[in-house]
């Protein structure tokens, strides 16, 4: 069986800790590889090599750094199918969805080609007599990213592309569940011309993460994953003075107003609720129809659509709607939550619990489930299910729907479907959620805007990609310079005011 090690100094190296985890094919339920789990000493060695390589990379002018990313984009396009296959084999998502995973990362690499422009500082000519003032953006040094299983291409690229474009060295700790694609990405960066040591991939679990958190030479950490881990890492890393941004879980509500085009709303709910088996932080997991008539009509239209969703392994062809979930544990957790919803009195109008895939009986498949009459106290509403389960919470009015979404502890994404501009405008202005869609169910901002949730979906003040990424991965230095013509004689004891 293949053992996936780490990627250090431009090449694959075996793990040395003796600890390993199995990597499954979720469609068959079989272990297909093992991944090495790094020890603290292996993390420290990766950091040391990165630290040695970083100053020369920071001194490479930003245009040349950007050219590495330009080449990287070309290589991503060349290898798109190979990368997508590596993702689908370990994650279980369909091939078109896996290509989308690569594409949304590639677009951030494209954005980062603009690094020379994005890194330009500010300059004030004549801030005082003979005085100029300017600011520059400088890299932080060695920075790290800890990423989740659900986007093994996109999220690592969201992290390492801007960090590296800014002149940092990057330690990537990807999810141990689907480590192959991040290793391929690192190889492509080397092929694109990145010097050795600037992108190190350290595979591992909690032990490697703790080592990253404790390492004094890691200046910043970007994390994406579940909320409890995000909150833990945010607190721990911030306490040691590291710069840190952590993005967590979600419970995304989609409000359907009585005036919405219901067919469009149904299309949106089916795609955004069940795509990638619901394993997206921007999946719609709660439908909120406003008014009983809207709710009845919506459920009537949703049921046959959900019942006819095509589930299968990624090898079954491009018309499969979604594949298995990531692991046996995830499957039993999801099934347990569905049972809890039934016990709590919610109406399971489409029951996918008994689903099995012929020929793939040991695969981690969960059939699509649709709940009606879910209430906010139920576990299925309170927890992020991260599976192919859509809950419907009926709201009596627009204000009730707004209030429900505002009260939810998560604030990643939300959407409203309506034909009324004033309602949509009121919603976008008042809602306490980071990413909002108007007749758009998965409002994932493009590479040149920022991605980030509010409340328990995001800890820290800067977003991922967009101009914020260049702020996160650099620190500003402001220089005030005066040349002799502006210098007056004598010591000044009061605070300078540039008078
Ligand atoms: P996870 O929290 O289990 O793991 C994320 C990373 O943290 C992995 O690299 C993992 O090895 C590490 N990790 C896990 N447990 C840890 C612990 N106790 N201490 C230290 N490190 C630990 O998340 P996941 O299951 O891989 O991903 C799914 C979650 O990620 C969902 O909650 C989803 O909503 C969230 N997510 C959020 C965003 C966003 O931008 N907000 C994007 C994608 C996914």
């Amino acid at each position: 069986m293949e053992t996936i090690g780490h990627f250090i100094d431009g090449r694959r190296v075996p793990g040395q800790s003796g600890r390993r985890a199995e990597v499954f094919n979720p469609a068959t339920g079989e272990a297909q590889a093992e991944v090495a789990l790094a020890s603290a000493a292996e993390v420290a060695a990766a950091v040391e090599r990165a630290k040695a390589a970083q100053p020369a990379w920071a001194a490479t002018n930003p245009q040349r750094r950007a050219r590495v990313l330009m080449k990287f984009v070309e290589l991503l396009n060349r290898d798109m199918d190979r990368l997508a296959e590596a993702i689908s084999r370990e994650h279980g998502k369909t091939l078109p969805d896996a290509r989308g995973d690569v594409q949304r990362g590639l677009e951030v690499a494209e954005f980062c080609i603009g690094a020379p422009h994005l890194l330009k500082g500010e300059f004030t000519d004549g801030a005082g007599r003979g005085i100029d003032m300017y600011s520059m953006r400088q890299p932080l040094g060695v920075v790290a990213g800890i990423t989740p299983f659900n986007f093994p291409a996109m999220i690592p690229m969201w992290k390492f592309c801007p960090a590296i474009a800014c002149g940092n060295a990057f330690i990537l700790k990807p999810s141990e569940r689907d480590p192959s694609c991040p290793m391929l990405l690192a190889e492509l960066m080397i092929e694109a011309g990145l010097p050795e040591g600037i992108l190190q991939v350290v595979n591992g679990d909690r032990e490697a993460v703790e080592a990253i958190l404790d390492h004094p030479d890691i200046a910043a950490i970007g994390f994406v994953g579940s909320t409890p881990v995000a909150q833990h890492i945010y607190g721990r890393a911030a306490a040691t003075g590291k710069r840190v941004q952590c993005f967590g879980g979600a419970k995304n509500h989609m409000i359907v107003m009585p005036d919405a085009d219901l067919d469009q709303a149904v299309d949106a709910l089916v795609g955004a609720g069940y795509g990638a088996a619901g394993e997206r932080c921007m999946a719609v997991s709660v439908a909120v129809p406003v008014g009983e008539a809207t709710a009845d009509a919506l459920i009537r239209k949703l049921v046959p659509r959900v019942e006819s969703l095509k589930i299968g392994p990624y090898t079954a062809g491009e018309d499969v709607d979604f594949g298995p979930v990531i692991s046996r544990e995830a499957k039993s957790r999801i099934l347990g939550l569905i049972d809890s919803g039934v016990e709590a009195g919610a109406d399971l109008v489409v029951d996918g619990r008994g689903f099995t895939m012929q020929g793939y009986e040991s695969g981690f498949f969960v059939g699509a489930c649709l709940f009606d009459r879910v209430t906010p106290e139920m576990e299925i509403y309170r927890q992020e299910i991260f599976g192919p389960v859509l809950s419907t919470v009926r709201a009596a009015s627009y204000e009730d729907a707004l209030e429900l979404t505002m009260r939810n502890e998560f604030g990643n994404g939300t959407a409203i479907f309506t034909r009324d501009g004033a309602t949509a405008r009121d919603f976008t202005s008042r809602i306490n959620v980071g990413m909002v869609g108007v007749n758009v169910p998965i409002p994932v901002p493009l590479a040149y805007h920022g991605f980030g949730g509010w409340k328990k979906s995001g800890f820290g003040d800067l977003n991922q990609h967009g101009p914020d990424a260049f702020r996160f991965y650099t620190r500003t230095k402001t220089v005030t310079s005066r040349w002799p013509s502006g210098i007056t004689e004598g010591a000044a004891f009061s605070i300078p005011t540039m008078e």
Side-chain angles (χ1 to χ4, degrees), residues 107 155 166 177 216 218 277 280 302 319 337 375 422 447 476 499:
E107 288 169 10
I155 297 180
C166 289
R177 300 188 192 286
I218 293 179
R280 289 184 185 136
L302 267 174
D319 64 340
L337 275 165
T375 57
T476 309
E499 290 297 320

Side-chain angles (χ1 to χ4, degrees), residues 2-23:
E2 183 199 3
T3 301
I4 301 159
H6 312 296
F7 191 86
I8 306 292
D9 286 347
R11 65 192 69 86
R12 289 175 186 250
V13 300
Q16 287 167 357
S17 70
R19 294 173 61 242
R20 292 195 195 115
E22 288 181 314
V23 179

Side-chain angles (χ1 to χ4, degrees), residues 35 121 210 300 361 394 407:
V35 61
E210 300 283 331
R300 228 179 5 254
E361 286 77 6
R394 294 175 173 230
R407 270 203 320 267

